[in-house]
Each structure stands twice: as C-alpha cells, then as structure tokens.
Amino acid sequence: MKDVKNALVISEYYPKILPPDSDSPQPVTRLTPHFHDIVIENVTATGSTSAGAIAGLPEAPITGVVLRNVKIDAQSGLTISFAEVSGDHVEVKASEGQPIKQLAGAKVSLR
C-alpha cells in the first residue's frame, strides 16, 4: 500500500477508531463486538499518515491478533489498546512519536 491514511485498523469503536481518554467497561450484551483470531501477513505500507490502531473494548478485548512480515512507514505510529497482539518480523517506523504506542489493556509481543 502506498499513501493510505491508516495502514492498519482493527477497532471495536464505532464510528471512531480510538477509545476516549476515560473509557470504563460497559455491560456485555448481544451487540458487544468480539474480535479474535486475526492474522495479517505480508503487508507493506509506505507514506501513511498513521500506522493505524488495534483497539478493543475494556469489556471485550481483541484477542489472538498475529502480525507476520508487516512493515509500516508512517507519520505517526501504531496504537494498541485492549488487545493481545503478537508477531514476527514486524517493523513500524514513525516520523513523529513512538512507533508502537501501548495504551490500557495492551498485551504486545512483537519480534
């Protein structure tokens, strides 16, 4: 991908991508999203505004996200919250700020 706004987005927040600053768990209902077991591999993105976001809900964290052979070069980094993310050969470069920003509930294991 080249010159996309967000290189990678997995978000349980609608219509926004990232959680609000103060986000407390809500009751789990039949409408609560449950994202899990997602594999993304062999992706290269350059010239992105943002590397993206992986954002689950406090009451329903995203589990089992695996990134393999992912290379992202963006203005801002990848934000992860309430999500379990692992991966091999993951490279995120951000021209501003941290390449990978871990917020509340982030469990990240990348190599």
Side-chain angles (χ1 to χ4, degrees):
M1 294 182 285
K2 188 174 180 181
D3 300 330
V4 296
K5 182 175 179 180
N6 297 295
L8 173 65
V9 175
I10 302 170
S11 179
E12 293 179 337
Y13 284 89
Y14 306 110
K16 299 183 180 192
I17 293 174
L18 293 174
D21 289 336
S22 59
D23 191 24
S24 57
Q26 301 297 312
V28 175
T29 70
R30 66 179 183 80
L31 300 176
T32 304
H34 295 279
F35 294 3
H36 57 89
D37 303 325
I38 300 167
V39 178
I40 298 173
E41 58 186 341
N42 303 322
V43 173
T44 300
T46 59
S48 298
T49 303
S50 168
I54 300 173
L57 300 171
E59 66 273 16
I62 297 171
T63 59
V65 175
V66 178
L67 306 177
R68 290 189 196 114
N69 300 317
V70 174
K71 294 181 183 180
I72 301 173
D73 189 351
Q75 187 175 355
S76 64
L78 177 65
T79 301
I80 301 172
S81 68
F82 296 107
E84 176 189 293
V85 181
S86 64
D88 291 313
H89 306 301
V90 176
E91 183 181 328
V92 178
K93 292 182 182 177
S95 57
E96 299 173 5
Q98 302 170 334
I100 298 175
K101 184 176 180 181
Q102 295 183 45
L103 302 179
K107 297 178 183 175
V108 181
S109 174
L110 300 174
R111 299 188 284 152

